[in-house]
Amino acid sequence: MAMARASSGLQYPERFYAAASYAGFDGSPRSSSKAVRSKFNSESALILYALYQQATVGPCNTPEPSAWNAVEKSKWSSWKKLADMASTEAMRLFVKILEEEDPGWYSRASNFVSDPVVDVQMNQSSNVHPVVENGNSFPETKTISTENGSIVEAQDKDVVSEGFGSIGVYDQWIAPPISGHRPKSRYEHGAAVIQDKMYIYGGNHNGRYLNDLHALDLRSWSWSKIEAKAGAESLESPSPVTVTARAGHSLISWENKLISIAGHTKDPSDSIEVKAFDLQTCTWSFLKTYGKPPASRGGQSVSLVGGGLVIFGGQDAKRTLLNDLHILDLETMTWDEIDAIGVPPSPRSDHTAAVHADRYLLIFGGGSHATCYNDLHVLDLQTMEWSRPTQQGEIPTARAGHAGVTVGEHWFIVGGGDNKSGASETVVLNMSTLVWSVVTTFEGRIPVASEGLSLAVGSYNGEDVNVLKPSHKSTLQSKMMETPVPDSVSAVLNATNGTRDVESEFEAGQEGKIREIVMDNVESDLMKARGKSTNEHLIATLKAEKEELESSLSKEKVQTLQLKQELAEAETRNTDLYKELQSVRGQLASEQSRCFKLEVELAELRQKLQTMEALQKELELLQRQKAASEQAALNAKRQSSGGVWGWLAGTPGNEKVDDA
């Protein structure tokens, strides 16, 4: 074995002292109260002072200052409240509060940070791999001594070796070799980790969909191909399963099985297919689902939340972008379409999703046919309400085809691009504060800056393939985090060129336990295409893609023209309907006028009728009077003529008068 000395991102307690120096608590002229207050508000300055005293001196045992000195009294009270807090805990809280107050402090602390020395164990035959520097690295020449006394020099202080257990490099990507038969180069594949192996399935190789399954042993770092068998008949799979080549699907580990869901295929089905791979029998089988399944798609995000899969967005077989939301209950295998409230993300594919605190689903980036996004959306899985919070810090550039993994409350985003260039920075989001920061950046076209890579999380105790060890700048764990992250967490990353990287962090006081992100070292199609031997194929592929895009553009133009024609027809119909409406309104006004006239005439007729009834009564009265007059005249006439005849008849005249 050989020893190498390398300085890099800082561990505790060096990181604490660097933070204290930056904040102004190191005893230098910068550490005056005035200098500290100029950087922080009074409350934060008091807390930082108390934590610094607790970390460096211990619990407060000094006498209470006199009341007239208000500043010293406040500082003493803040320190006293920490009681018996451990020194290491005070150091971590100091750095965490500084991070919240000044997220970019570490990148600006180069003038304050002294280079620590880290011992790195290396095999005598191992090579030293320099790493691209970022804002936290300080180039200098380091000397590496070997057992036989020879000297090897490296121009970058950030060095690693094949042995992983004692790597002391932070915030840099490194690519040591791996063994075994590597899979074909690919992108848009699925990746998942179960126990100590990472599995990759399917993907796109030079425009051809794949259906092979490979495993990377995270202890020996060797690749092997798994020969899958046709599944036996079962309730879930009534017939043997043909393993369909696909890309743009999702691979989820669940109950010691690999769940493959959705994806683009040569002959797409109408709805999403769900398959399971049994690691013990090495067989694929379809999982029978109930309810209305989502439409077939690829480029979606699938997140495991409790006992269900949350699926968002993607692109269907007709290249229609989607922003629908579905949940598959893995216990009942029942689909449920969610009609969430609020404004959802715009339709997109090739985005990333993460779950925070088992309650919030975060959606970042993705792309449409015309543009890429860098927006952040959050879905509350309890209220099913979308929101678009304000992002803070160094917000990433727009991208699609990137990959993400969560470590505690931090969400690491790697790769992707905007159809013009790859994203050159590895970024991290604190999901509690929604503050972005850049972990590292690199120049040129390299695997981790490409589209179509995938990401998975696992734990292991072996050696690395590609290593990115995040410093406390990017992985400070929240004191309020409900579930602590295991000490040996790793994230395994499959790039487009397949370069495999590991991101890790030494926890204080726990030697040999590491947290890291690993990227699988499969050779990239895009990187190979840069070689002369594949230039013609690349040009042909680009021409085919260009023709496809031109064809799509022509179809879109035809559809646009049709829509314009339909719009013109609709406007014409609208004009005609408006004219008809005006005509009807005129007719209605005329009818209203006519109705008013009829009402006036009716009132006049009623008045005339009343007059006629009065005249009728007068006529009847006159007729009765006339009849009475005629009767009286008749009676008088009879009376006069009756006296003569009575005399002739010999009747007395007064009797006749009485009779009359």
Side-chain angles (χ1 to χ4, degrees), residues 597-634:
K597 291 180 180 179
L598 289 176
E599 288 178 351
V600 173
E601 291 176 0
L602 179 60
E604 293 176 352
L605 290 174
R606 285 178 178 173
Q607 188 175 3
K608 289 179 180 180
L609 180 60
Q610 292 176 355
T611 303
M612 290 179 64
E613 290 177 352
L615 292 174
Q616 182 68 25
K617 290 180 180 179
E618 291 179 1
L619 178 62
E620 291 176 356
L621 179 61
L622 290 173
Q623 288 177 347
R624 286 196 298 270
Q625 291 177 354
K626 179 182 178 182
S629 298
E630 289 177 352
Q631 186 66 33
L634 180 62

Side-chain angles (χ1 to χ4, degrees), residues 121-195:
Q121 295 283 346
M122 294 193 300
N123 293 327
Q124 185 172 351
S125 60
S126 62
N127 297 324
V128 176
H129 301 275
V131 183
V132 179
E133 299 173 8
N134 66 0
N136 301 328
S137 299
F138 311 97
E140 63 183 25
T141 301
K142 290 296 178 180
T143 302
I144 302 175
S145 300
T146 61
E147 286 185 345
N148 58 12
S150 61
I151 302 297
V152 179
E153 290 190 353
Q155 296 303 316
D156 192 329
K157 71 164 194 169
D158 288 332
V159 297
V160 297
S161 64
E162 293 179 6
F164 178 75
S166 56
I167 289 177
V169 179
Y170 290 85
D171 298 340
Q172 299 288 346
W173 288 110
I174 302 165
I178 59 174
S179 61
H181 180 70
R182 297 182 180 182
K184 291 181 179 179
S185 54
R186 65 192 67 201
Y187 59 98
E188 293 183 345
H189 51 283
V193 171
I194 296 182
Q195 295 179 357

Side-chain angles (χ1 to χ4, degrees), residues 523-540:
E523 293 181 358
S524 167
D525 290 344
L526 299 180
M527 299 299 291
K528 284 184 176 180
R530 298 174 63 185
K532 294 182 180 180
S533 61
T534 57
N535 279 343
E536 294 180 356
H537 178 75
L538 178 59
I539 293 173

Side-chain angles (χ1 to χ4, degrees), residues 314-624:
Q315 179 177 262
D316 65 14
K318 298 180 181 179
R319 300 186 71 249
T320 301
L321 294 168
L322 308 169
N323 67 341
D324 50 349
L325 186 68
H326 301 264
I327 293 181
L328 175 62
D329 190 322
L330 294 175
E331 297 297 329
T332 62
M333 298 306 296
T334 303
W335 285 106
D336 187 14
E337 183 174 4
I338 305 301
D339 186 14
I341 60 177
V343 180
S346 59
R348 65 189 62 199
S349 65
D350 298 327
H351 51 279
T352 52
V355 177
H356 177 52
D358 288 331
R359 175 173 177 176
Y360 301 101
L361 177 71
L362 286 74
I363 303 293
F364 172 73
S368 64
H369 297 312
T371 187
C372 294
Y373 306 105
N374 66 339
D375 50 354
L376 178 67
H377 299 262
V378 178
L379 173 67
D380 189 325
L381 295 173
Q382 291 187 4
T383 62
M384 289 300 171
E385 181 177 4
W386 285 106
S387 63
R388 186 174 178 180
T390 301
Q391 305 178 70
Q392 302 180 35
E394 302 174 81
I395 301 175
T397 57
R399 66 191 64 195
H402 49 289
V405 64
T406 58
V407 179
E409 62 181 5
H410 294 84
W411 187 16
F412 289 86
I413 302 293
V414 182
D418 59 359
N419 296 325
K420 297 179 181 179
S421 61
S424 61
E425 68 273 10
T426 298
V427 297
V428 60
L429 173 69
N430 186 316
M431 293 185 288
S432 296
T433 62
L434 298 182
V435 176
W436 288 99
S437 58
V438 176
V439 179
T440 184
T441 57
F442 27 75
E443 298 179 356
R445 297 182 61 184
I446 66 172
V448 293
S450 54
E451 299 181 32
L453 41 76
S454 62
L455 199 63
V457 177
S459 60
Y460 64 96
N461 289 312
E463 294 188 349
D464 60 308
V465 176
N466 278 17
V467 179
L468 168 67
K469 183 178 293 187
S471 64
H472 291 276
K473 174 185 74 172
S474 55
T475 59
L476 279 173
Q477 297 301 311
S478 172
K479 191 177 180 183
M480 299 175 63
M481 187 167 60
E482 297 179 1
T483 304
V485 181
D487 294 324
S488 56
V489 174
S490 65
V492 182
L493 180 66
N494 305 276
T496 303
N497 75 331
T499 305
R500 181 156 192 85
D501 295 73
V502 177
E503 166 188 55
S504 62
E505 170 188 15
F506 279 113
E507 292 286 61
Q510 297 185 4
E511 298 179 357
K513 294 185 178 181
I514 44 184
R515 188 173 294 143
E516 52 207 272
I517 292 180
V518 181
M519 190 176 287
D520 73 320
N521 200 7
V522 186
E523 293 181 358
S524 167
D525 290 344
L526 299 180
M527 299 299 291
K528 284 184 176 180
R530 298 174 63 185
K532 294 182 180 180
S533 61
T534 57
N535 279 343
E536 294 180 356
H537 178 75
L538 178 59
I539 293 173
T541 302
L542 292 175
K543 286 183 178 179
E545 291 179 356
K546 179 183 177 182
E547 292 175 356
E548 182 181 357
L549 290 174
E550 289 176 347
S551 176
S552 301
L553 180 60
S554 299
K555 292 179 181 178
E556 293 293 336
K557 287 182 178 179
V558 172
Q559 291 180 357
T560 302
L561 181 60
Q562 292 176 350
L563 290 174
K564 287 183 178 179
Q565 292 176 350
E566 292 176 0
L567 179 61
E569 294 174 358
E571 290 177 347
T572 302
R573 290 196 299 268
N574 185 43
T575 302
D576 295 337
L577 290 174
Y578 181 77
K579 291 180 180 179
E580 291 179 6
L581 178 61
Q582 293 296 103
S583 176
V584 171
R585 285 178 176 174
Q587 294 177 5
L588 179 60
S590 177
E591 290 297 327
Q592 287 177 341
S593 177
R594 182 167 169 267
C595 182
F596 178 75
K597 291 180 180 179
L598 289 176
E599 288 178 351
V600 173
E601 291 176 0
L602 179 60
E604 293 176 352
L605 290 174
R606 285 178 178 173
Q607 188 175 3
K608 289 179 180 180
L609 180 60
Q610 292 176 355
T611 303
M612 290 179 64
E613 290 177 352
L615 292 174
Q616 182 68 25
K617 290 180 180 179
E618 291 179 1
L619 178 62
E620 291 176 356
L621 179 61
L622 290 173
Q623 288 177 347
R624 286 196 298 270

Side-chain angles (χ1 to χ4, degrees), residues 9-21:
L10 304 178
Q11 303 181 52
Y12 286 97
E14 288 82 3
R15 187 171 185 82
F16 161 73
Y17 291 120
S21 176

